[in-house]
Amino acid sequence: MSLPSTALPTRARVVVVGGGVIGTSVAYHLALMGCTDVVLLERDRLTSGTTWHAAGLMVTFGSTSETSTELRKYTRDLYSRLEAETGQSTGFKPVGFIEVAADKGRLEEYRRVSAFNRMLGIDVHEISPGEVKELFPLARTDDLLAGFYVKEDGRANPVDVTMALAKGARMRGVRVIEGVAVTDFLRAGGAVTGVRTAQGDIEAEFVVNCAGMWARQLGEKAGVSIPLQAAEHYYLITEPVSGVDSTWPVLEDPGAYGYFREEGGGLMLGLFEAVCAPWKVEGIPDDFSFGQLPPDWERMTPYLAAAMERIPISKEVGIKTFFCGPESFTPDLAPVFGESPELRNYFVAAGLNSIGILTGGGIGRAMAHWILNGRPDIDVTGMHIDRLHEYQTNPEYRATRTVESLGMVYQCHYPNRSMQTARGAKRSPFHALLAAEGAYFRDVSGWEGADWYAGRGVTPDPGDLTWGKPSWFAQWEAEHRACREGVIAMDMSFMSKFLVQGRDAGRALERISANRVNGEPGVITYTQWLNEGGTLEADLTVTKLDDDRFWVVASDTAHRHALTWMRRHFADAHAFVTDVTSGYAQLNIQGPRSRELLAALTTQDVSDAAFPFRAAREIDLGFARVLCIRITYLGELGYELYIPAEQAVGVYERVIAAGEAVGLRLAGLKALASLRMEKGYRDYGHDIDNTDTVLEAGLGFAVALDKDFIGRDAVLAQKAKGPLTKRLLQVQVLDPEPLMFHAEVVRRNGTPVGYIRAASYGHTLGGAVGLAMISSDDGPLDAAWIEAGEWTVEIADGIHPAKASLRPLYDPTNARIKL
Ligand SMILES: Cc1cc2nc3c(=O)[nH]c(=O)nc-3n(C[C@H](O)[C@H](O)[C@H](O)COP(=O)(O)OP(=O)(O)OC[C@H]3O[C@@H](n4cnc5c(N)ncnc54)[C@H](O)[C@@H]3O)c2cc1C
């Protein structure tokens, strides 16, 4: 029931915008955590956006993200207990859920995922086609290889879920107000301070934009970029079918683009087409409520035909409902979640990519934690709003990328797959030159990143996607070995680069850096930035160029996070950050012969004595002035060249020409991955994240406890607690054949103790190698504990002996980098 407009309060601690499953879940969890001074504003009625027509599938199986799996598990548990708490049913029915695999690629994917999911507490079983048939007798199973069955999963009623969350929130004191649209935001001093509505303003400490497919255009009013786009999303419901039983599990067959479940005695057949149709790129109408879209069944026919083959009787029965409704999709199929980089205290939870019901409970809980505790309690690196960029809100970008996003849900998630649409958004100055050398490019945060090289004039052919060794394995290996044995050049222009200037620049950076960064000028320092809780916010380098000039370099994915972290912490200091990413190309020359190459390029003395490890110098190189830093991410003697963009091509030509005499080879990002992984170098967002402490991440060597910095107390407190029981280890599979990618379960003496967060192939070590966060429940996790264990890794096809190490398996003494 709508409250009269006069009931609109003038103040609340938190205003939640949007009354779909996400907004109500955020409001419920805020209240559950004790924050009841919350107002939820819904433009029309609860569920009137996308939530009302969702199919309500509830599946915990299928993700190799620990975060996504936790969100799913928590959500399922919440929906099964919410009725007892609120008296309002969520309609959750644990009828079971089966994912089927009809081809080898998907079978391998599901076997890999199921091991990982089981470790996280999901009771998934591989079942035979015959067992699939027993559970879903109308399914055609003769062409299936297997099913993956979770008995406790099932379906929920999205409207009931939302009403139960809203009721639970109200019961705790939240004011849920329907019929009030937020029209604008109040802002002051870089923070949001409230919302504007036609019925008046509400001041607030925090605002959470949960406006679903409207979130982007609403975000614009606050200057916040929210790159999501609505797309058509389809299902149909058949007339009753004899024998269909409401206790049957949900059946999903991604290979046939469809899912199936009972509905009203008939079947619901839902679709995820490979190429989809964005809807209303120009903007979602303000008055679109409980709306349906005109379906384009002609476009959908091939997908529908494929799906119907799985349940042959669906071809014969009448169709009661053809449904097409809009759902929001994001450029990388992860939600838009968290505090916006543009505006403090302005949070966003939107862009749920068709899994908003089955993750909604967890999303609400994580958001409440973040708002009330100042930081999230789960790894958010993959879904943080600040991983995304402003240009991704461009209409053409959204229209182009969204075509691919929806279909990605059902793609087999092979390694080395890159998004194919909206390519070429960012190109380094070297791009055309690298293309001429046969570079195979992949999407690296929108940049065209050279992954490997086919050779001059050769068109790179990536071959078929595979879980095995790719067709270009030999090129990759050659690039890797060239770096270990000779010298390579690598385009790293996608790295985020910042110039920090001002008389307080050193002090300000020192305050946020765990390592000492404000020592002598001309020195680069590897450091982490921590929050007050001692967990990681960033992993990067700070180079002191001069007393009032610093050069900060972070990875592409950390771009906006690092920038925002500096700006917010430098608030009152005389320290100013300029994002110079676009202004400088980065070319790294690395390998034992890199000094020889550099010596041929510049008049500067580059001897070890004159240019030691960690030195940063401005050098002359051809007609250019180049910032040259002796540092490596690959584990060899090497230099990073930062070149003004307009001089980059000239420098490249010089490097290539001089490189002929020393056997220079171009190397791509595949080589970067394998080289750094052999050396155990970390990559934030891949193998370390915001839930890890700097000590657990094995980065204690980069912490200067004898100075003040944010997070120091937490580091000291963890040290005082005694030896660690959770640490990042390097893990290598002893058999050179099996490959690891991510999420493989690591066992010690047969017991799962962690999983591979990121992996590559160690061409020098001779096997797959990765980094895994390992927990010990029987004492300190130290070298003796590692030594005493028998280590194995579970990969789809079996259990493989492995070794684990705290020290880098490649060059543990750093002899190679100090040549
Ligand atoms: C056909 C279909 C099937 C689906 N099936 C499933 C499924 O089986 N399982 C699953 O997990 N997910 C499914 N989904 C996805 C799921 O429905 C969505 O992810 C989820 O509903 C998104 O919830 P939301 O709260 O973000 O958005 P919404 O439900 O759209 O809520 C946003 C709300 O914000 C309100 N609003 C907008 N602007 C303003 C404003 N200015 N002021 C105040 N209020 C505003 C809107 O009125 C709306 O109620 C499906 C989606 C579709 C289209």
Side-chain angles (χ1 to χ4, degrees):
M1 188 186 76
S2 307
L3 290 175
S5 59
T6 48
L8 209 64
T10 54
R11 246 209 77 74
R13 183 156 185 229
V14 186
V15 172
V16 177
V17 188
V21 66
I22 300 300
T24 52
S25 178
V26 169
Y28 169 81
H29 285 91
L30 284 166
L32 192 67
M33 287 181 66
C35 174
T36 54
D37 185 11
V38 177
V39 172
L40 184 151
L41 298 179
E42 164 54 43
R43 168 194 67 110
D44 192 300
R45 277 186 290 145
L46 296 182
T47 76
S48 60
T50 292
T51 297
W52 71 276
H53 56 61
L57 272 50
M58 295 289 300
V59 56
T60 52
F61 169 74
S63 173
T64 54
S65 148
E66 182 175 347
T67 294
S68 182
T69 308
E70 287 301 331
L71 296 179
R72 291 161 185 239
K73 261 175 55 183
Y74 173 81
T75 302
R76 186 187 67 185
D77 295 347
L78 176 71
Y79 295 176
S80 46
R81 62 169 195 265
L82 214 48
E83 182 171 1
E85 183 189 318
T86 62
Q88 161 72 53
S89 164
T90 60
F92 176 64
K93 291 187 198 147
V95 289
F97 204 106
I98 310 171
E99 297 277 358
V100 296
D103 62 82
K104 282 188 177 164
R106 207 168 294 266
L107 182 65
E108 166 119 17
E109 175 182 358
Y110 286 170
R111 284 186 173 157
R112 284 173 176 264
V113 177
S114 51
F116 173 68
N117 284 182
R118 265 192 292 274
M119 190 192 80
L120 296 178
I122 292 168
D123 194 20
V124 52
H125 297 269
E126 180 172 337
I127 58 175
S128 67
E131 288 168 304
V132 173
K133 186 92 183 161
E134 271 170 38
L135 289 161
F136 205 110
L138 290 180
R140 184 187 148 208
T141 57
D142 58 335
D143 61 335
L144 291 182
L145 299 176
F148 291 80
Y149 177 46
V150 181
K151 201 161 170 269
E152 296 76 18
D153 287 350
R155 51 194 270 203
N157 180 324
V159 172
D160 290 349
V161 164
T162 308
M163 294 307 169
L165 290 164
K167 190 166 178 199
R170 279 188 176 114
M171 284 163 65
R172 291 181 153 82
V174 171
R175 282 159 290 180
V176 177
I177 304 175
E178 298 179 275
V180 177
V182 168
T183 55
D184 208 343
F185 299 92
L186 313 178
R187 297 181 258 176
V192 70
T193 56
V195 299
R196 175 147 295 162
T197 77
Q199 290 85 344
D201 292 352
I202 306 180
E203 281 178 29
E205 196 181 330
F206 301 99
V207 172
V208 196
N209 178 343
C210 303
M213 61 189 159
W214 290 268
R216 180 190 57 78
Q217 59 212 59
L218 193 60
E220 261 174 26
K221 294 184 189 293
V224 172
S225 303
I226 304 174
L228 56 77
Q229 173 58 46
E232 295 177 0
H233 198 19
Y234 289 80
Y235 56 70
L236 57 79
I237 298 167
T238 71
E239 297 289 353
V241 180
S242 138
V244 167
D245 194 318
S246 63
T247 62
W248 284 3
V250 180
L251 185 82
E252 193 161 43
D253 182 4
Y257 312 104
Y259 61 81
F260 318 90
R261 68 164 176 79
E262 181 276 343
E263 179 68 38
L267 287 166
M268 171 185 273
L269 189 165
L271 294 165
F272 280 84
E273 67 273 27
V275 180
C276 87
W279 179 68
K280 292 281 181 204
V281 172
E282 69 281 12
I284 308 298
D286 286 342
D287 59 355
F288 184 84
S289 293
F290 298 107
Q292 299 194 25
L293 309 183
D296 181 353
W297 285 106
E298 205 179 313
R299 182 175 74 76
M300 295 302 287
T301 296
Y303 307 108
L304 184 59
M308 284 179 153
E309 288 300 323
R310 179 59 58 218
I311 313 287
I313 198 159
S314 63
K315 292 186 276 186
E316 291 159 30
V317 290
I319 307 297
K320 196 166 71 176
T321 311
F322 280 113
F323 186 84
C324 176
E327 162 66 339
S328 311
F329 291 86
T330 62
D332 57 2
L333 221 58
V336 186
F337 184 77
E339 189 180 16
S340 76
E342 294 94 344
L343 196 60
R344 253 185 306 117
N345 297 345
Y346 186 101
F347 285 78
V348 180
L352 271 302
N353 300 293
S354 81
I355 57 169
I357 308 301
L358 67 92
T359 56
I363 290 278
R365 187 192 73 170
M367 179 58 78
H369 265 271
W370 193 335
I371 291 172
L372 300 179
N373 299 333
R375 56 179 173 273
D377 63 337
I378 51 168
D379 166 21
V380 294
T381 48
M383 61 183 192
H384 199 308
I385 182 173
D386 68 13
R387 76 189 188 283
L388 299 162
H389 292 262
E390 216 176 326
Y391 78 91
Q392 291 174 303
T393 61
N394 287 4
E396 189 170 338
Y397 180 89
R398 284 184 281 116
T400 313
R401 174 51 64 87
T402 306
V403 164
E404 186 179 11
S405 303
L406 180 142
M408 277 294 290
V409 176
Y410 271 10
Q411 293 284 326
C412 181
H413 299 95
Y414 283 110
N416 303 313
R417 190 189 190 287
S418 186
M419 298 302 271
Q420 300 299 312
T421 54
R423 294 292 300 270
K426 300 181 189 175
R427 284 174 245 191
S428 92
F430 309 125
H431 181 266
L433 297 159
L434 304 185
E437 299 292 337
Y440 177 75
F441 293 100
R442 74 175 152 95
D443 185 334
V444 180
S445 297
W447 292 79
E448 291 298 314
D451 217 17
W452 48 272
Y453 293 85
R456 185 164 301 171
V458 181
T459 304
D461 175 9
D464 290 337
L465 291 167
T466 170
W467 294 98
K469 288 187 178 167
S471 56
W472 37 268
F473 193 82
Q475 283 97 319
W476 172 18
E477 178 171 4
E479 291 168 26
H480 178 110
R481 291 198 187 283
C483 181
R484 292 277 181 251
E485 292 155 19
V487 55
I488 58 102
M490 190 178 279
D491 176 19
M492 299 280 287
S493 301
F494 55 82
M495 294 293 281
S496 321
K497 309 161 208 96
F498 309 100
L499 194 57
V500 183
Q501 299 176 93
R503 48 175 192 274
D504 295 334
R507 271 189 298 279
L509 282 165
E510 199 70 281
R511 170 91 184 114
I512 61 172
S513 301
N515 210 345
R516 190 176 293 285
V517 297
N518 191 17
E520 289 300 307
V523 176
I524 186 171
T525 304
Y526 173 51
T527 188
Q528 284 70 47
W529 293 347
L530 314 182
N531 51 48
E532 294 288 358
T535 58
L536 302 172
E537 292 288 341
D539 174 80
L540 38 70
T541 59
V542 176
T543 301
K544 181 168 178 174
L545 301 174
D546 216 331
D547 284 338
D548 58 358
R549 224 156 46 92
F550 291 75
W551 185 256
V552 175
V553 178
S555 67
D556 54 303
T557 50
H559 195 146
R560 297 186 85 199
H561 193 74
L563 183 58
T564 309
W565 194 257
M566 283 188 280
R567 288 199 168 137
R568 290 197 177 150
H569 285 90
F570 294 175
D572 301 325
H574 190 267
F576 309 97
V577 190
T578 311
D579 181 354
V580 293
T581 304
S582 319
Y584 287 83
Q586 182 180 345
L587 190 67
N588 293 355
I589 55 172
Q590 302 269 315
R593 299 193 72 180
S594 56
R595 181 182 291 125
E596 213 179 321
L597 174 61
L598 191 63
L601 287 164
T602 181
T603 57
Q604 257 93 343
D605 182 355
V606 297
S607 66
D608 187 45
F611 205 144
F613 180 59
R614 288 181 61 200
R617 308 263 187 276
E618 292 216 322
I619 64 168
D620 55 67
L621 206 165
F623 300 128
R625 274 262 131 171
V626 169
L627 173 62
C628 176
I629 305 181
R630 184 173 159 194
I631 195 75
T632 182
Y633 187 56
L634 308 181
E636 301 295 336
L637 169 72
Y639 304 85
E640 299 186 344
L641 305 178
Y642 295 92
I643 315 151
E646 67 278 20
Q647 296 192 296
V649 168
V651 167
Y652 174 90
E653 287 164 355
R654 298 282 176 130
V655 170
I656 297 299
E660 275 189 21
V662 286
L664 175 72
R665 193 173 176 131
L666 289 169
L669 300 177
K670 273 284 161 293
L672 172 97
S674 55
L675 291 158
R676 74 103 183 166
M677 193 53 88
E678 286 188 328
K679 184 76 173 115
Y681 286 148
R682 278 52 170 161
D683 189 357
Y684 188 77
H686 295 274
D687 36 62
I688 52 175
D689 63 57
N690 62 280
T691 63
D692 302 325
T693 71
V694 70
L695 299 180
E696 290 160 356
L699 299 169
F701 69 89
V703 179
L705 282 169
D706 57 347
K707 61 144 199 167
D708 184 36
F709 62 88
I710 296 170
R712 178 172 177 270
D713 291 347
V715 179
L716 288 173
Q718 186 168 40
K719 268 187 173 287
K721 270 196 188 160
L724 296 170
T725 55
K726 188 179 159 205
R727 296 176 87 170
L728 197 70
L729 301 188
Q730 218 182 352
V731 176
Q732 185 192 336
V733 179
L734 301 182
D735 178 346
E737 284 310 310
L739 302 182
M740 297 195 294
F741 304 105
H742 162 73
E744 293 82 4
V745 175
V746 179
R747 296 166 187 262
R748 180 180 177 273
N749 300 336
T751 307
V753 284
Y755 68 92
I756 298 288
R757 285 187 172 175
S760 186
Y761 192 81
H763 296 283
T764 308
L765 293 175
V769 59
L771 285 164
M773 187 58 84
I774 301 295
S775 300
S776 132
D777 59 5
D778 61 350
L781 199 168
D782 53 19
W785 187 84
I786 294 170
E787 191 63 30
E790 191 204 332
W791 293 85
T792 51
V793 181
E794 186 173 356
I795 304 177
D797 60 344
I799 308 278
H800 298 273
K803 62 178 160 194
S805 177
L806 278 167
R807 303 187 74 202
L809 291 166
Y810 179 75
D811 189 24
T813 61
N814 286 339
R816 306 273 311 167
I817 63 181
K818 294 188 178 153
L819 287 179

